[in-house]
Amino acid sequence: MYIVSIDDDQCSGCDSCADGCPARILSFDRSRGKAYVSGDEAECMGCEACVAVCPGGAIIITEM
Ligand code: SF4
Ligand code: SF4
């Protein structure tokens, strides 16, 4: 099981992470210009595809 954390302060709003999540648990809030966890974190498979595409290091995946 993984915990998915997105640091708003580090998110530059590039919208690169949500579409690439194979578990479809990330979304992008256009009104705020920030990515957020919209789905069930229990579905996260820890692939870190989101981490790889994030230019700001805003996403942290922690294995529990
Ligand atoms: S680690 Fe993989 S499955 Fe988990 S939120 Fe990131 S892209 Fe999605
Ligand atoms: S890839 Fe990083 S900077 Fe871009 S929207 Fe996602 S969290 Fe924000």
Side-chain angles (χ1 to χ4, degrees), residues 32-56:
R32 288 195 318 124
K34 303 289 181 184
Y36 65 102
V37 181
S38 57
D40 184 354
E41 277 176 277
E43 300 292 320
C44 174
M45 51 194 80
C47 68
E48 299 206 3
C50 53
V51 175
V53 298
C54 181

Side-chain angles (χ1 to χ4, degrees), residues 6 11-17 28 35 54-55 58-59:
I6 301 179
C11 176
S12 60
C14 72
D15 194 12
S16 297
C17 53
F28 187 73
C54 181
I59 309 174

Side-chain angles (χ1 to χ4, degrees), residues 1-2 5 8 18 20 24-25 28 36 39 41-42 50-51 60-61:
M1 169 150 189
Y2 297 90
S5 301
D8 268 8
R24 312 301 297 169
I25 62 172
F28 187 73
Y36 65 102
E41 277 176 277
C50 53
V51 175
I60 297 171
I61 307 296

